[in-house]
Amino acid sequence: MNKPIVFTLIGLLLSLIFSVTAHAADLKIGFVDAERINRESAPAERATKKLEKEFAPREQALQALQKQGVELRTELERDGEKMKPADRQTKERRLATLSQQFEQMQRSYAEDMEFRQREARGRLVVEINKVLDAIAEAEKFDLIVQQAIFASNAINLTDRVIKELAKRTATAR
């Protein structure tokens, strides 16, 4: 390769690097801590309380069933030797039935709770994205990320998103 072509290529390469660097300096980047928003935002807290209220009767039923099983097991351990074999066998079958009912109810409870939590998280993500879109559009952000190894407080939008979600929640009521 002759020298004029090499110098031309080097010049083009350097101008490309400088133009990319200059353009990168104009980028406006933001960061949000999605986990913190999921923990601390008003809609997340409201969803948690709603789920707790919705599932409280089932949780109480589980606790009552567990208590019955513990009481029956304690009675069998304490008085099982003194009981008639037919009575002991009846109580053992009742304990097995209670245990099976408890496991089924517990599994159903856990599945339903997980499903409802996913639904609530999905609704929260939609709200968060609306807030982030509004902030990005109003302030001309080029990029907003949710995960980063490091993000300075200067670009952290988490508090603003939490406050905006609280405002939206207050006006929605």
Side-chain angles (χ1 to χ4, degrees), residues 120-147:
R121 276 193 301 271
R123 286 190 298 273
L124 180 59
V125 165
V126 169
E127 284 299 311
I128 291 169
N129 287 340
K130 286 179 185 177
V131 169
L132 287 172
D133 285 345
I135 291 172
E137 189 175 316
E139 298 184 24
K140 310 274 189 263
F141 276 91
D142 295 302
L143 176 68
I144 297 178
V145 296
Q146 290 184 4
Q147 290 184 339

